[in-house]
Amino acid sequence: GKPAMKNLIVNGLVLAADGKKMSKRLKNYPDPTLVINKYGADALRMYLINSPVVRAEELKFREEGVLGVVKEVFLPWYNAFRFFLQNVERWEGGTRKFSPSVDKVKTTTNPTDIWISAATQELIKFVHDEMAAYRLYTVMPALVKYVTQLTNWYVRLNRDRLKGLEGDDADAEAEMGLQVLYDVLLDVTIIMGPFTPFIT
């Protein structure tokens, strides 16, 4: 006959930080409900996806690892989104309305716009390829690298431009930068949906 399955996913054991089996009697692990309430279910999910447990290996659970996901991914991602919202509000100024346009994004000639758009498409392809191959653990490092590029490079290099303080036609430059930032933030939100369903 026919095989019972095409793919089989085996998870490893999640152990306490001391390497012993988690035990209610010994209380050698943090209460999962408290961890979720403190950091969020998405942070816990990303921590586990990035761990050896998805490669059928053991994981010594450390709450600091969940905090690391918040610091390395969620806070910078959120700050980029907040920066975007603040500057859209400034750009609109009560007299005009920001309207996202992929067509405008495609016409940009700014090298950093082109670079971050290409990096976003590269991330999307990478995530699709890795998920198709069941290599979930490779997604988190790629996401951390991308978020660093977005926040530490794209947003920083374009801060004045996005605030409407740069170029001969500062308003048009600001709008173009905001269009690109919206586009990449939307793409990342969509691609991260399966990994972070509550945030996205």
Side-chain angles (χ1 to χ4, degrees):
K2 192 174 170 186
M5 63 202 78
K6 290 182 181 179
N7 296 293
L8 176 65
I9 298 174
V10 179
N11 291 320
L13 292 175
V14 180
L15 304 173
D18 60 6
K20 295 179 182 169
K21 185 179 174 208
M22 290 184 171
S23 166
K24 287 182 185 177
R25 184 180 55 81
L26 296 175
K27 296 183 181 173
N28 62 348
Y29 63 94
D31 181 342
T33 305
L34 297 176
V35 172
I36 290 170
N37 288 341
K38 188 172 183 181
Y39 303 107
D42 285 342
L44 179 58
R45 180 190 316 264
M46 287 298 288
Y47 171 68
L48 292 172
I49 286 172
N50 193 43
S51 74
V53 83
V54 296
R55 295 187 300 270
E57 298 171 13
E58 293 179 346
L59 164 68
K60 292 179 184 174
F61 184 86
R62 288 181 168 63
E63 193 173 332
E64 303 84 45
V66 183
L67 175 61
V69 171
V70 173
K71 285 182 177 178
E72 291 179 16
V73 179
F74 295 159
L75 286 178
W77 188 8
Y78 170 76
N79 287 336
F81 180 69
R82 195 178 71 184
F83 181 78
F84 165 77
L85 289 178
Q86 289 168 343
N87 285 289
V88 162
E89 192 175 301
R90 182 213 46 80
W91 183 84
E92 288 179 336
T95 58
R96 54 189 164 191
K97 187 85 176 127
F98 179 81
S99 181
S101 168
V102 175
D103 292 333
K104 284 184 182 178
V105 171
K106 289 177 183 176
T107 65
T108 186
T109 57
N110 182 291
T112 57
D113 290 350
I114 295 166
W115 165 72
I116 199 64
S117 293
T120 306
Q121 293 309 308
E122 191 177 298
L123 176 70
I124 291 167
K125 182 183 182 324
F126 178 81
V127 170
H128 281 291
D129 291 348
E130 294 304 285
M131 286 186 69
Y134 297 94
R135 291 187 298 261
L136 304 179
Y137 52 89
T138 62
V139 172
M140 181 72 172
L143 181 63
V144 170
K145 179 183 172 194
Y146 176 82
V147 168
T148 300
Q149 290 175 335
L150 177 65
T151 58
N152 290 354
W153 291 105
Y154 182 76
V155 171
R156 275 197 189 151
L157 290 172
N158 288 283
R159 188 172 297 278
D160 287 344
R161 177 175 168 238
L162 294 166
K163 289 181 177 180
L165 304 172
E166 193 176 276
D168 293 334
D169 191 356
D171 262 1
E173 276 296 318
E175 183 192 8
M176 182 59 80
L178 291 169
Q179 290 284 354
V180 171
L181 186 54
Y182 172 85
D183 190 57
V184 299
L185 285 170
L186 178 62
D187 283 347
V188 171
T189 302
I190 292 168
I191 199 68
M192 291 312 298
F195 304 100
T196 56
F198 296 105
I199 289 177
T200 56

